Amino acid sequence: MEEKRQRTTIVLFSGEMDRALAAFTVANTAAAMGMEVTIFFTFWGLNIIKKPGGAHGGKGWMRRMLNWMNSGNARRLPLSRFNFLGMGPWMMKRLMAEQRMLPLEEMVRQAKQLGVKFVACTTSIGLMGLTEGDFVPEVDTFAGAATYLGEARTAEVNLFI
């Protein structure tokens, strides 16, 4: 009889580099340990899976302005503290390279290779005036909170980052 794999879900709400690094470190470690892992990207966390160049459209001036102000992607994320107009992320990337730590973009690719499932929140996408075409092809599913809760209710580990 096949043993049921343990499951981990992560809500990635933050679009900040250090928090995204923490989420992907946990996700990749759990997947490497044989766990099923789902990351539910919502609100600013959607920046991690947005295509480079960002979306600047959307219906109405507020959505266009929001997308202009929030034009990040996995390569262009601020730090939660000590951002210093972009100097903090630059220093963090240099220190990561010195420690032979993978950059976030590589951690995202590694997660997909390990079978981590990416779910983009349709409610946040609609609110921000984004479309499914604004995201990297690694996104597995576009779904709402009910889909996340369906997975979380049977998972052994649930994190909110």
Side-chain angles (χ1 to χ4, degrees):
M1 180 163 67
E2 188 176 317
E3 189 176 319
K4 184 182 172 206
R5 290 173 56 191
Q6 290 185 317
R7 300 179 61 228
T8 296
T9 68
I10 299 171
V11 173
L12 188 45
F13 175 84
S14 175
E16 296 162 325
M17 179 188 194
D18 46 327
R19 293 178 181 172
L21 289 169
F24 276 92
T25 297
V26 171
N28 289 346
T29 302
M33 291 174 62
M35 297 179 81
E36 286 182 38
V37 181
T38 299
I39 303 176
F40 185 76
F41 298 87
T42 189
F43 289 98
W44 313 122
L46 290 169
N47 285 340
I48 290 100
I49 55 172
K50 279 176 30 184
K51 289 178 182 173
H56 296 289
K59 293 179 182 175
W61 70 269
M62 284 191 286
R63 284 189 177 97
R64 285 193 298 277
M65 181 65 101
L66 181 64
N67 286 320
W68 178 76
M69 292 185 302
N70 184 38
S71 61
N73 60 62
R75 287 187 210 136
R76 295 186 55 218
L77 298 176
L79 289 178
S80 60
R81 296 184 54 154
F82 310 119
N83 193 52
F84 299 122
L85 300 172
M87 188 68 145
W90 177 82
M91 291 189 303
M92 180 72 88
K93 288 176 185 179
R94 291 282 304 259
L95 292 171
M96 289 168 60
E98 284 178 18
Q99 294 297 310
R100 295 192 172 116
M101 184 176 170
L102 292 176
L104 180 58
E105 306 88 60
E106 287 298 317
M107 293 177 88
V108 171
R109 280 191 275 282
Q110 183 182 57
K112 288 314 298 178
Q113 290 170 351
L114 290 168
V116 174
K117 183 178 172 187
F118 291 2
V119 179
C121 176
T122 52
T123 304
S124 296
I125 288 170
L127 177 70
M128 295 179 173
L130 300 169
T131 68
E132 291 182 9
D134 294 321
F135 297 93
V136 296
E138 289 82 4
V139 174
D140 296 292
T141 307
F142 294 89
T147 297
Y148 166 73
L149 290 169
E151 294 202 23
R153 72 177 356 153
T154 60
E156 288 79 13
V157 178
N158 294 296
L159 303 173
F160 187 94
I161 300 173

